[in-house]
Amino acid sequence: MAKIDPQTLRQAQEIMLEMLIEFDALCTQHNLRYWLDAGTLLGAVRHGGFIPWDDDIDISMPIEDYQKFMEIAPSALPKSIFFQTKASDPAFPFDYIKLRSQKAKIIEFHEKGKKVAYHQGVFVDIFPMLTLPNTEFYQHFYEGMFELIRSVSPVSLHTPEGKDHPEIRANLQKSLHKLHQGWEKPNTKVIYGGEMPDVAAWFDIDKIFPLKKMSFEGHEFSVPHDSDHYLSNLYTFDYRQLPPEDQRTTHAEAMVIGEV
């Protein structure tokens, strides 16, 4: 992991915040649900904004809202934001979607020393979320399904050698999606869809909804109703405690401010 110049990192964070504000406005206009996730949610809770050394933004959306956003975004986003999918950027190796800024570039750890053909603007990750019945059987099924998806996913933290079997992975993701219960049934669990294989977690639906607002860098964004439940289920460590200083590093190898 690298340590980016603090001034450069802060400029990049401000550019990512601009994208988050645009995203929030678009979701509000079209009545789409989302919430801050992972390190972005942790930053909102613990720091009131970015974790000082964080270099991306994480968002989750119910699968139905995610799919609607994919339809709306290409024509609705400003030219300063590139909507990155496998359709818009065929070399893009991931199955989920990203918003990429045209104003700053990021080189991630798995891209170091490689010739990269896809857009490398600083980004906002957007993940689709599903629901499953709240039973031990389905929890084990979900965990097993994610292990299979990880084993055939490229550029994964779990498979750094970059195994890639897209047809197998797509079929596994479809199988997971077919079990989706919707958002009105009680006693269901919220899970990450298989598009983002690096994180698997199992959340109580009534701890996420109804969503509420929380301040992030002086702006109000949607977050789970019970952020402590969410973060405690997501992380194995005590998220309230700052990590040792030698672990406060970015995931990126480099960031460059300027037109991508």
Side-chain angles (χ1 to χ4, degrees), residues 146-238:
F146 253 65
E147 286 303 316
L148 289 173
I149 291 172
R150 285 169 177 160
S151 71
V152 293
S153 296
V155 203
S156 165
L157 295 177
H158 299 271
T159 57
E161 65 275 16
K163 295 178 183 177
D164 189 9
H165 301 279
E167 290 185 5
I168 297 173
R169 189 170 64 252
N171 286 331
L172 291 170
Q173 291 166 357
K174 287 178 183 177
S175 296
L176 194 58
H177 283 215
K178 285 180 180 179
L179 297 173
H180 176 52
Q181 300 291 293
W183 302 93
E184 304 303 324
K185 291 186 179 181
N187 198 32
T188 55
K189 291 284 189 174
V190 178
I191 61 167
Y192 290 96
E195 288 79 359
M196 202 283 287
D198 287 331
V199 179
W202 181 260
F203 310 103
D204 293 338
I205 193 168
D206 61 358
K207 300 292 186 179
I208 296 180
F209 296 102
L211 298 170
K212 66 180 185 180
K213 296 291 186 178
M214 183 176 290
S215 178
F216 181 89
E217 297 291 338
H219 300 267
E220 297 286 312
F221 299 106
S222 296
V223 298
H225 182 73
D226 185 341
S227 295
D228 178 67
H229 168 84
Y230 201 91
L231 293 169
S232 295
N233 278 273
L234 188 58
Y235 295 115
T236 56
F237 55 85
D238 183 355

